[in-house]
Amino acid sequence: MKDWCDEEGAKRLREKIAAYWAERGYEVDVDLVDAGFVPAMRSARTDVRSNMINGMPRRRINQDAAAGRQSYRPRSEATA
C-alpha cells in the first residue's frame, strides 16, 4: 500500500497531480504543508494543497485569448 501522507509520498502525489492536469492543458499550483506529528496516525503528516476549486483546476488564460472571446448574452437577447 502506498503512503501518500509521508513527505516522500506527498511529493510523488504532488508530481502526479501536476502532470495529470498539465497533460490536459491546465496549470495547477500544488503545495506541501508539513502538519507535524499527528497522535491519531502515530506519525508525522504532510498535507497536499492546491489552488483547485471543488477538485477542478482554474485554467490560466492569457490576455490575447481572452480578448477573442465573445461576451455573454442572455438567451433571450441572442435570439432577438
Side-chain angles (χ1 to χ4, degrees):
M1 182 169 96
K2 295 181 182 179
D3 186 3
W4 301 111
C5 295
D6 66 359
E7 187 175 355
E8 289 302 314
K11 286 178 182 177
R12 287 192 313 268
L13 185 58
R14 173 182 61 187
E15 297 305 318
K16 192 172 186 133
I17 292 169
Y20 176 88
W21 288 111
E23 289 175 5
R24 287 153 180 81
Y26 291 89
E27 184 176 341
V28 251
D29 296 326
V30 184
D31 298 318
L32 301 180
V33 178
D34 182 22
F37 182 79
V38 179
M41 292 176 55
R42 294 185 181 175
S43 66
R45 182 184 84 204
T46 302
D47 292 340
V48 179
R49 299 191 182 165
S50 71
N51 66 339
M52 292 189 284
I53 298 174
N54 294 328
M56 296 299 295
R58 298 182 285 175
R59 182 181 292 254
R60 293 190 179 170
I61 300 173
N62 61 24
Q63 293 299 326
D64 296 334
R69 297 176 72 190
Q70 295 180 357
S71 61
Y72 170 77
R73 293 185 313 188
R75 188 170 289 184
S76 61
E77 290 181 18
T79 58

